[in-house]
């Protein structure tokens, strides 16, 4: 059934909260894990603590922590930097310090000063990859790093030395991206800057940050989310277009945004965002598309032709089937699963008792792509870290998921050490690697489940406990619904009935009265 809700009340059942202040939410007062962890630095924030009176603001602290964790990730790569990338068949796997960056410096023609997309790469150095198989903006990032690395100036500039320098330069550029991501997350929810600490301290983030160039697209996406939260749809669209020119996944955020703008009747803002996305993407891609179409299209053709690869549940099926599925069949089935997942997200968006937050749906759609895709490289976890921090800012759930991802990170390298080590068989056999894949899948499904629960039961959402609606929603924040399906237009009801609990208004902070006089119960754990 289709319903409209012309009521001026903000959101579907969201009470107006004129008593909200700009005082930051202190996670040590709301999160048990954060409170326990704070004992290392003096304990939870006191009731009489003076906020905003010191140079050490949350954003500055988070930026420094992000730099520190990134540095630890670089230290973790030292065994490879000092020889693992260059000597020994499995050293880079047994030390879990593999990176694409030094290998592709030569393998994609940067060492020979070839121009990406325009110059064909000799097969003897590329292994058969004729052109760079990355989107254009990532190719520009890689090329800029190669310019800084420079050309050989003497016999002492060996290929190994230049690969080391190339990795260091890329690491420095990626560290800037990592800081931008943490700062953008800290500033997206105005009253929750400390949620950025989830991003800065993510262990899987530190381990995978310098495997590939994904942080560029993630930084642009995080900046886009910040712009949307500040009601700047054109800036959001331009940044998403640039992010899509660096990696494909950011374009998926337009789907949830379309559904939310549909439910809120904000078509103008979505049109501006979509126009900005298309314009920015074309501005980056058109020159290369016109001048070197074969090189430009390599990313897209390679994505289609690539077989089932590491990390996906498709690999488990292939390894356990007597007759493996063809690449075309896997492509078709993966696409159908992704479409089905998007359909479920659409139904959830239009029928939820209260319009979901943008960050929640953005996390779900990217997670759906990761779960259904035919490949899951270890660094793909970076795509979800900032979205998870915005969608479900609870340390317990975040750390459970991160532990699963760290186990997968170790599992893939131990599996490669096993398969590449000849008769030594030192590492993780096929069955063990399949278990590592299942751990990753279950961890991602777990955090998806708690996000869906928060959407269906908004009083369980940690962001909405203080009466907030959608701090990352920009023009959607406290906007009335104009279109909904099913029961979404009816007054919200608490999940508990009878003697199980008391009726509460969605998103009312514990101990503070709602407009109707009810007080919210504290959040319970799932």
């Amino acid at each position: 059934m289709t319903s409209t809700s012309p009521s001026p009340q903000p959101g579907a059942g969201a009470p107006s909260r004129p008593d909200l202040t700009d005082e930051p939410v202190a996670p040590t007062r709301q999160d048990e894990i954060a409170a326990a962890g704070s004992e290392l630095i003096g304990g939870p924030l006191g009731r009489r603590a003076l906020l905003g009176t010191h140079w050490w603001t949350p954003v500055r602290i988070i930026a420094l922590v992000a730099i520190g964790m990134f540095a630890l990730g670089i230290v973790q790569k030292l065994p490879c930097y000092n020889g693992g990338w260059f000597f020994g068949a499995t050293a880079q796997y047994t030390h879990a310090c593999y990176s694409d960056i030094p290998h592709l410096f030569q393998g994609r023609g940067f060492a020979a000063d070839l121009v990406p997309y325009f110059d064909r790469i000799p097969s003897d150095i590329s292994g058969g990859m004729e052109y760079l198989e990355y989107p254009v903006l990532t190719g520009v990032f890689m090329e800029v790093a190669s310019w800084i690395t420079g050309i050989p100036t003497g016999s002492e500039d060996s290929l190994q030395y230049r690969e080391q320098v190339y990795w260091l330069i890329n690491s420095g550029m990626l560290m800037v991206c990592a800081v931008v991501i943490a700062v953008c997350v800290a500033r997206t929810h105005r009253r929750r800057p400390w949620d950025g600490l989830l991003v800065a301290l993510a262990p899987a983030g530190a381990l995978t940050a310098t495997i590939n160039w994904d942080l560029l697209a993630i930084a642009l996406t995080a900046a886009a989310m910040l712009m949307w939260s500040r009601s700047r749809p054109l800036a959001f669209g331009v940044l998403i277009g640039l992010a899509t020119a660096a990696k494909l996944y950011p374009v998926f955020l337009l789907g949830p945004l379309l559904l939310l703008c549909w439910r809120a009747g904000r078509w103008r803002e979505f049109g501006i965002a979509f126009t900005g996305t298309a314009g920015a993407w074309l501005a980056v891609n058109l020159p290369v598309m016109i001048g070197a179409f074969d090189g430009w299209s390599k990313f897209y053709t390679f994505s289609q032709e690539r077989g089932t690869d590491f990390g996906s549940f498709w690999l488990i099926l292939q390894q356990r089937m007597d007759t493996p599925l063809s690449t075309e069949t896997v492509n078709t089935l993966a696409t159908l699963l992704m479409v089905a997942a998007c359909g479920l997200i659409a139904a959830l968006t239009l029928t939820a008792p209260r319009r979901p937050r943008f960050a929640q749906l953005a996390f779900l759609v990217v997670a759906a792509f990761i779960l259904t895709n035919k490949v899951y490289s270890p660094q793909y976890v970076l795509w979800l870290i900032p979205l998870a921090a915005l969608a479900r800012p609870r340390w317990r759930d975040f750390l459970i998921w991160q532990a699963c991802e760290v186990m997968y990170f170790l599992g893939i390298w131990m599996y490669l050490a096993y398969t590449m080590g000849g008769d030594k068989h030192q590492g993780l056999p096929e069955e063990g690697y399949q278990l590592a894949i299942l751990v990753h899948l279950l961890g991602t499904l777990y955090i998806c489940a708690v996000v869906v629960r928060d959407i269906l039961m908004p009083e369980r959402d940690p962001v909405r406990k203080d009466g907030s609606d959608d701090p990352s929603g920009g023009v959607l924040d406290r906007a009335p619904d104009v279109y909904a399906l099913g029961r979404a237009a009816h007054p919200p009801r608490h999940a508990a009935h009878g003697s199980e609990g008391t009726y509460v208004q969605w998103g009312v902070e514990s101990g503070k009265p709602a407009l109707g006089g009810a007080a919210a119960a504290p959040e319970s754990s799932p």
Side-chain angles (χ1 to χ4, degrees), residues 11-340:
S16 176
R17 289 301 307 272
D19 58 325
L20 284 178
T21 69
D22 291 331
E23 179 181 335
V25 173
T28 55
R29 293 176 179 172
Q30 295 187 350
D31 192 302
E32 297 83 357
I33 303 298
S38 68
E39 296 295 340
L40 296 173
I41 55 172
L45 189 70
R47 289 182 298 173
R48 292 183 172 82
L50 295 178
L51 303 176
T53 60
H54 201 281
W55 186 87
W56 290 103
T57 63
V59 170
R60 289 170 179 164
I61 293 173
I62 288 166
L64 288 176
V65 171
I67 293 172
M69 285 295 291
F70 194 94
L72 289 176
I74 290 179
V75 171
Q76 191 267 334
K77 299 294 186 292
L78 283 180
C80 281
Y81 181 85
N82 291 326
W85 292 327
F86 316 106
F87 311 110
T90 60
Q92 60 186 338
Y93 305 133
T94 55
H95 289 92
C97 55
Y98 174 85
S99 173
D100 288 326
I101 295 173
H103 298 297
L104 295 187
F105 178 64
Q106 181 188 24
R108 295 302 177 264
F110 294 104
D113 204 25
L114 300 180
V115 179
Y117 311 109
F118 290 85
D119 293 339
R120 188 184 298 269
I121 307 170
S123 59
D124 59 329
I125 66 172
S126 69
M129 189 68 68
E130 294 181 323
Y131 296 99
L132 183 66
E133 73 277 24
Y134 288 86
V136 172
L137 201 58
T138 297
V140 171
F141 190 92
M142 300 162 74
E143 179 71 354
V144 169
S146 74
W147 291 343
I148 299 173
T149 302
I151 61 176
T153 58
S155 58
E156 69 277 5
D157 293 337
S158 65
L159 178 60
Q160 176 182 329
Y161 170 77
R162 296 181 67 209
E163 287 176 343
Q164 290 173 319
V165 172
Y166 186 66
W167 181 80
L168 286 174
I169 291 170
N170 275 281
S171 296
M173 296 166 66
L174 291 171
M175 182 177 67
V176 174
C177 295
V179 173
V180 169
I181 295 165
V183 169
C184 286
V185 171
R187 294 174 63 87
T188 297
H189 290 176
R190 290 180 183 271
R191 298 189 62 239
R192 302 185 62 91
W194 290 110
D195 291 345
L197 205 57
L198 291 162
V199 177
L201 287 173
L207 292 171
T208 61
T210 57
I211 290 180
N212 204 278
W213 292 269
D214 294 64
L215 285 179
L216 171 62
I218 300 165
L220 291 168
T221 304
M225 295 284 290
L226 174 61
M227 290 298 100
W228 182 263
S229 73
R230 302 298 170 86
S231 300
R232 298 175 63 181
L234 180 60
F236 166 84
V238 169
L239 287 166
I240 286 294
L242 294 175
T244 305
K247 206 75 178 180
L248 178 62
Y249 88 90
V251 75
F252 292 130
L253 270 64
L254 292 179
L257 191 62
L258 170 64
L259 295 168
L260 292 172
C261 289
W262 181 8
R263 181 162 172 172
R266 296 288 186 170
W267 292 108
R268 178 178 177 275
E269 287 80 1
F270 178 79
I272 293 173
F274 181 83
T275 302
T277 299
W281 186 87
L282 287 172
V284 172
N285 283 271
L286 267 181
V288 182
M289 192 187 308
I290 294 172
F293 184 81
D294 290 342
W296 171 83
S297 62
K298 187 61 181 178
F299 165 70
Y300 302 96
T301 57
F302 174 71
S303 298
Q304 285 295 313
E305 297 166 357
R306 186 178 189 176
T308 301
D309 214 329
F310 296 113
S312 68
F313 77 91
W314 299 107
L315 181 64
I316 298 178
L317 292 179
Q318 298 288 64
Q319 291 178 342
R320 291 186 169 274
M321 292 177 66
D322 294 332
T323 305
L325 300 173
S326 66
T327 299
E328 292 76 12
T329 301
V330 172
N331 287 339
T332 301
L333 293 176
T335 301
L336 290 175
L337 283 177
M338 181 60 184
V339 170

Side-chain angles (χ1 to χ4, degrees), residues 320-370:
R320 291 186 169 274
M321 292 177 66
D322 294 332
T323 305
L325 300 173
S326 66
T327 299
E328 292 76 12
T329 301
V330 172
N331 287 339
T332 301
L333 293 176
T335 301
L336 290 175
L337 283 177
M338 181 60 184
V339 170
C342 290
L344 292 175
I345 293 172
L348 179 66
T349 303
L350 297 176
T351 60
R354 183 173 174 184
R355 191 171 58 245
R357 293 189 289 111
F358 180 33
Q360 292 173 320
L361 296 185
F363 173 84
L364 289 177
V365 74
V366 176
F369 178 68
I370 283 176

